[in-house]
Structures are given as C-alpha cells and as structure tokens.
Amino acid sequence: MAKRTYDIEIDSYIGYPISKTYIREELARCGNRPVTVRINSYGGDVCTALDIRQQFLDHGDVTCYVFGMTASAATILATGAKKLYMGRHAFMLLHQCSMLVDKWDWLNADELESTIEELKKTCTDLHKLDMCAASLYAKRAGCDPEKMHEVMVDAQWLNADECLGLGLVDAIDEEEDEPVQMTAAVQRRFAACGLPALPAAKVEEKQEPTPKASLLDSLANIVATISTWLTAGKQEAPAAEEQPEEPAAPAAPVDDEEQPEEPEEPAAPAASADDEEQPEEPEEPEAPAAPSPEPSPEDTAATIVSLQEELATARQRIAELEAMDGADTTPAMPCTAAEHDTAMQHCSDFVRRYKHLI
C-alpha cells in the first residue's frame, strides 16, 4: 500500500506557527482539488481555530486525519472537515475554554467589588465560548449541545472507539498502527500545557544506563597517565608488585565408599645408645616462582593508540546521538546496553593489565 501524503500538517500550537494566514496560503496553493490535512496538536487559540474551521468549510473538500494526542482548539478546527478520520491509537480531548486571569494588587472594598464584576463577566464569556464549541461538536455528532458540553466538562482523553461512538469522527483509520508512547517526558509536556494525563495510563520511564561519557572520561584519564609516563622518558616500569603466594593444592576428594585400610609398616627398631647420631640432610630450597612478563613500552604505546582511537569513535557516536535529540522527542540515550558493556569490559581489561604503571 502506497504511503499516504498530506497537503497540510497541523502539528504545533494553533495561533503560531499554525496561523490563519498560513492555512489560507496552503489552501490557496492546493486550489480547488481535494485537500488532506494531518492533525496532531495540543491546541491553542480558540479564535484562530474557529477561523481555520471556516476556511475548511469554505473550501468544501477537506479531509482531516487525527493522530497522536490532539486536544482543545485542534479538535475545534477539525469539525470543519468534510470527512474526519482518527487513527486507531490516537486520542482526542474536549474541554472547557479557559483564559489568563491575572490580578495582584491591594484592593479596597469598592475595587474588590469591581474586580468581582469583571470576573463574573469573564465567566459569562467563557460559558458562551464553551457552548459555541459544544454546538460545533454536536452538529458533527448529530446530538444535543448539552451532551457535548458534558463531555467537555469531564475533560477526559477519548480513544478512537469512544470518539466514533459519540459521532465525533466518521471512521477509524486502521492504517495508522503506531501506538502513542506515553512516557514521563510526554506527561510533563501535558502538565506544562495544562492538559490532563491519560486516564489509567502507565508511564513508561526508561531506565537509563550509566552514561558512557563518564566511563570514557575515566578511561581517558588512565590513558593520559600512561602517556605522560612514556613521554617523560621513563623506560623502566616500577618494580612489579609482589606475587601472591600460590594457594595450596586442594586436598584430594574423599570418595563416599570406604577405602581399604593400608597395612601399617612395621616400626623400625630403636637405635642403640652406642650408635652415632646421623646428621639430618638439609632440605633443598624451593625455586622462586617466575615473575609474569611485563609488557614492553612499545606494546603499551600501541595499546594506548588503539584505545585513543576507540575513545574518539565513541565520543563521535555520543555527539551524533545528542544531535538527534530534539524538542519534540524524549532525550536520546547516550549509548545502548551492549555499547556500555563493551566499554566497561575494555576499561576493566586495561586496568587489570596496566595498573602497575599508574
């Protein structure tokens, strides 16, 4: 199946950068042909949403596809589509309108009364906006505006089946098969936008491994220390550490079956008093254990060059991963678990082989 293409992408704040002028220019570019619009936005300005909705109606042949987490004003403009589809794993949020209320001052009784009257007027205006939005939803759903107003008051995320049941969308788009990843980062963005979290949603917080950068810094310090020693002209390595004593050989295992007792050897006859005492033979000294061969400076230098190349490659990879991170994505992981384990093994092997040089 060919990949679907869209004429207009509404994937940001309604008002800016998704402005009335932007949509007007995009529709004019499309002319009189059918227009497809992809919507995935948290919402924004109601005035802009109402204008875009009317532009869709004026064009007359606009098909909208709702994906991801589409909320607030973005759902209002979607009601102007001739056909409205919703992804299987998408969500929509209908809620009451709101506006900024900022009053911080010392007020006497008269000023306080005036402020109360202003807030009452604001409350009345917001209720009118709520009923306007409810009527738009109800017109598409074919129901009473009061029913849609109740949905707005509940302010719950609605899945595709719930939206289809309410009549808000015409059909579910089964081609969209990527579920929404409700991570902790997405939850924080919801909170910043004043949106509720998904009901009974499980927040999947990825366990970040130990940053690879800190591991590489430790390994780089070891390499720098040995490099300084080599460049200073120290050709002889410090005395090797004392070799630990070899452990005694383990005792032979005792079989479960009873071993036959060996016959006792007859005791040697006691020496007579006239016999001269025989001198004891001296024990032969044990040969010292051969020291383990120490790596030559040339081998150490070659190893350092190899590790420096690996460090450079790893740091380049970290820079590439960090560059991939964006404002609309969760933070990129510094490295994979396999890369982390490999770096740990390199560090462990290096310290074990050359710790006597540090």
Side-chain angles (χ1 to χ4, degrees), residues 48-171:
T48 303
L50 291 173
D51 187 282
I52 294 175
R53 174 187 179 274
Q54 188 61 47
Q55 291 187 47
F56 287 170
L57 290 173
D58 292 343
H59 183 279
D61 196 359
V62 176
T63 301
C64 289
Y65 295 84
V66 173
F67 297 114
M69 317 292 291
T70 297
S72 191
T75 64
I76 292 177
L77 64 84
T79 61
K82 181 179 180 179
K83 289 291 184 180
L84 180 57
Y85 299 96
M86 186 173 181
R88 165 59 64 184
H89 303 291
F91 290 87
M92 288 178 62
L93 173 65
L94 285 58
H95 65 80
Q96 293 175 283
C97 300
S98 61
M99 64 180 297
L100 177 65
V101 177
D102 184 14
K103 188 68 175 181
W104 179 261
D105 201 355
W106 293 94
L107 305 176
N108 58 34
D110 293 339
E111 293 170 336
L112 185 59
E113 186 67 28
S114 176
T115 301
I116 293 174
E117 291 301 321
E118 292 177 3
L119 292 176
K120 286 182 178 179
K121 180 179 181 301
T122 300
C123 183
T124 301
D125 292 341
L126 285 176
H127 181 69
K128 291 179 181 179
L129 288 175
D130 288 344
M131 294 310 300
C132 173
S135 65
L136 299 179
Y137 296 134
K139 183 177 182 179
R140 172 165 286 278
C143 64
D144 188 80
E146 290 295 335
K147 179 179 179 181
M148 288 292 103
H149 185 260
E150 293 176 359
V151 175
M152 294 169 62
V153 172
D154 289 340
Q156 297 290 330
W157 285 101
L158 306 174
N159 60 31
D161 290 326
E162 291 171 327
C163 290
L164 183 63
L166 288 171
L168 292 172
V169 299
D170 297 302

Side-chain angles (χ1 to χ4, degrees), residues 42 69 180-192 328 330:
Y42 292 160
M69 317 292 291
V180 175
Q181 298 297 325
M182 195 60 183
T183 63
V186 176
Q187 291 278 33
R188 289 191 293 271
R189 292 184 65 187
F190 279 8
D328 295 330
T330 53

Side-chain angles (χ1 to χ4, degrees), residues 333-344:
M333 304 302 292
C335 64
T336 64
E339 291 173 332
H340 175 264
D341 294 341
T342 301
M344 285 291 293

